[in-house]
């Protein structure tokens, strides 16, 4: 199967991840917060939009859905019932979504919002995880309509994917997240290297994404809540009731809110 995956930039730092089937010139977009950049990209590439998948209801993820439905009447919209779009397929945890014969599994990964999902697409044995605003490279989403406990559990779930899984967050926040991570773990050399690379790429307009789960385990403090370096880095800034991973995770999220 020749699916390739391309980001379309929207707003200031959103990525609308696009699955492209070169054989039939069809495309699927994930979280189109704006229609115009999607239409411009697909027309330039001679592609037809056949599906839209949404991860959560925030405007910068669904804002372009209605216009794209009108512009491409064949478009099949896949969404959770709480995503505030007119969906053709209502999904929930465990649902399967198809992309030209490849299967994507739907996982509930709440926390940022209560009804946030991920799409985990299997292409030739490798998993590609579209994780919206739950996990960013080096960071995590803010807690809006979900809870910090849900976000922590969602991170645990994502952390159970195979190490070579490619993660596709919906925002370019890598450089600022690495700066935050280094404020907790100043001696993390992999993180320092990731910051340098992210700074260079961002200046050149090149996405830092996708990233592998293996890479995230080295650079994302929210996946490293059981590491002594992270626990002591948090304790240097905030008093902790205990060293439990959820306590450390919660403290990291609140430190990041003020970073
Ligand atoms: Zn969001």
């Amino acid at each position: 199967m020749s699916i390739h995956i391309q980001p379309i930039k929207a707003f200031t730092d959103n990525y609308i991840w696009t699955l492209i089937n070169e054989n039939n010139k069809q495309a699927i977009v994930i979280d189109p917060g704006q229609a115009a950049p999607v239409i411009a990209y697909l027309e330039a590439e001679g592609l037809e939009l056949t599906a839209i998948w949404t991860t959560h209801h925030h405007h910068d993820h669904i804002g372009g859905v209605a216009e794209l439905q009108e512009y491409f009447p064949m478009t099949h919209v896949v969404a959770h019932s709480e995503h505030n779009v007119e969906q053709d397929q209502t999904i929930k945890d465990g649902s399967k979504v198809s992309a030209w014969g490849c299967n994507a599994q739907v996982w509930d990964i709440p926390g940022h919002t209560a009804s946030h999902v991920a799409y985990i697409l299997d292409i030739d044995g490798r998993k590609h995880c579209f994780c919206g605003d739950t996990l960013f490279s080096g960071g995590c989403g803010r807690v809006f309509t979900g809870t910090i406990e849900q976000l922590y559990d969602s991170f645990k779930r994502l952390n159970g994917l195979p190490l070579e899984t490619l993660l596709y967050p919906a925002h370019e926040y890598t450089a600022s997240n690495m700066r935050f991570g280094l404020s907790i773990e100043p001696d993390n050399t992999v993180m320092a290297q990731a910051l340098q690379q992210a700074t260079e790429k961002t200046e050149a307009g090149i996405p830092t994404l996708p990233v592998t789960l293996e890479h995230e385990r080295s650079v994302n403090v929210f996946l490293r809540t059981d590491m002594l370096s992270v626990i002591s880095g948090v304790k240097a800034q905030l008093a902790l009731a205990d060293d439990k991973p959820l306590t450390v995770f919660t403290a990291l999220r609140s430190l990041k809110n003020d970073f």
Side-chain angles (χ1 to χ4, degrees):
M1 175 57 65
S2 64
I3 297 180
H4 79 259
I5 302 171
Q6 190 71 33
I8 298 173
K9 292 184 183 181
F11 303 105
T12 51
D13 51 34
N14 281 69
Y15 291 129
I16 300 169
W17 291 105
T18 306
L19 313 179
I20 298 161
N21 182 338
E22 287 297 347
N23 295 334
N24 59 14
K25 289 287 178 184
Q26 293 182 344
I28 295 171
V29 291
I30 299 161
D31 286 352
Q34 286 180 306
V38 174
I39 293 169
Y41 178 82
L42 298 183
E43 291 202 330
E45 300 292 322
L47 297 165
E48 185 196 7
L49 188 68
T50 54
I52 294 170
W53 303 349
T54 61
T55 65
H56 67 294
H57 73 276
H58 284 158
H59 180 75
D60 61 321
H61 296 253
I62 61 153
V65 171
E67 195 180 331
L68 289 170
Q69 275 174 306
E70 219 167 283
Y71 199 90
F72 298 98
M74 290 282 286
T75 301
H76 179 80
V77 177
V78 174
H80 185 281
S81 59
E82 291 169 18
H83 287 180
N84 289 344
V85 295
E86 258 184 53
Q87 71 267 27
D88 301 293
Q89 182 183 353
T90 305
I91 45 94
K92 57 181 179 136
D93 190 61
S95 294
K96 282 201 168 46
V97 180
S98 170
W100 310 290
C102 285
N103 270 326
Q105 243 202 329
V106 176
W107 279 12
D108 275 345
I109 50 164
H112 173 66
T113 63
S115 57
H116 195 302
V117 301
Y119 296 90
I120 298 159
L121 178 66
D122 206 309
I123 306 174
D124 299 329
R126 189 175 199 183
K127 291 193 187 327
H128 301 257
C129 174
F130 300 92
C131 50
D133 285 358
T134 298
L135 180 149
F136 300 119
S137 184
C140 70
R142 279 175 190 264
V143 174
F144 288 105
T145 55
T147 67
I148 192 76
E149 290 82 7
Q150 286 176 332
L151 189 61
Y152 172 73
D153 286 339
S154 295
F155 259 63
K156 271 212 295 202
R157 195 171 185 191
L158 292 171
N159 202 18
L161 284 162
L163 281 179
E164 71 277 12
T165 302
L166 285 167
L167 302 165
Y168 296 78
H171 288 274
E172 181 62 65
Y173 291 157
T174 309
S176 77
N177 283 337
M178 294 304 161
R179 279 191 285 275
F180 171 71
L182 285 164
S183 77
I184 304 293
E185 276 190 289
D187 298 330
N188 185 325
T189 53
V190 186
M191 207 182 274
Q193 212 171 25
L195 171 60
Q196 196 192 335
Q197 279 178 2
T199 307
E200 286 167 10
K201 281 188 172 173
T202 305
E203 272 169 16
I206 301 167
T208 62
L209 307 168
V211 284
T212 62
L213 176 61
E214 184 172 28
H215 173 75
E216 283 307 294
R217 280 196 186 171
S218 303
V219 301
N220 192 323
V221 284
F222 293 90
L223 287 171
R224 298 169 58 76
T225 49
D226 55 350
M227 304 288 288
L228 284 176
S229 51
V230 173
I231 296 168
S232 63
V234 171
K235 280 182 170 169
Q237 299 191 41
L238 209 67
L240 288 184
D242 57 62
D243 290 356
K244 288 180 187 149
L246 173 60
T247 311
V248 177
F249 188 94
T250 305
L252 281 169
R253 186 58 262 179
S254 88
L255 287 169
K256 179 67 170 67
N257 288 347
D258 300 326
F259 185 71

